[in-house]
Amino acid sequence: MLATVAAGGAIGAGARYGAALLWPTAAGSFPWTTLCVNASGSLVVGILLVALTEVWTAPAWVRPFFATGVLGGYTTFSTYCLDIERLVAAGRPESALGYLAATVLTALVAVAAGAWAARRLLVRRVAG
């Protein structure tokens, strides 16, 4: 199982790195890339977990591979914390505080929206 999570984590971290290359954040500026990566990953977590726990029965390795590995590697608490520290060091404590709150709020809303949408679309489709 550890190898499964590690393989998924490598894929997710590679995707996050690719996002940073495609949409780099200049030093001292608001880290939109990390915010969007964490929000999109949270949205997919909401969808995936409803699909795997309420709609389909998947093999035992699927949830750890995708939820813990891929999405855990894609979303990034460490970069989020580093971004906050960099904003403070650049003399932008208000932006750092806003980013800190916006990321948590956005991630919670995204995971709830993903779960809601998955229940609305997938459960209806399976029941119908």
Side-chain angles (χ1 to χ4, degrees), residues 33 44 55 78 86 116:
T33 304
V44 174
V55 179
S78 60
R86 286 180 177 162
W116 177 84

Side-chain angles (χ1 to χ4, degrees), residues 14-79:
R16 177 174 29 94
Y17 179 71
L21 291 177
L22 290 172
W23 191 8
T25 300
S29 65
F30 194 86
W32 288 107
T33 304
T34 305
L35 178 67
C36 290
V37 162
N38 287 340
S40 63
S42 296
L43 179 75
V44 174
V45 164
I47 295 166
L48 179 70
L49 292 182
V50 166
L52 294 179
T53 61
E54 298 178 24
V55 179
W56 296 301
T57 303
W61 62 268
V62 172
R63 186 173 172 179
F65 176 78
F66 284 108
T68 305
V70 174
L71 294 171
Y74 178 66
T75 58
T76 171
F77 186 73
S78 60
T79 302

Side-chain angles (χ1 to χ4, degrees), residues 38-40 42-44 46 101-117:
N38 287 340
S40 63
S42 296
L43 179 75
V44 174
T103 296
V104 172
L105 182 62
T106 303
L108 289 172
V109 168
V111 76
W116 177 84

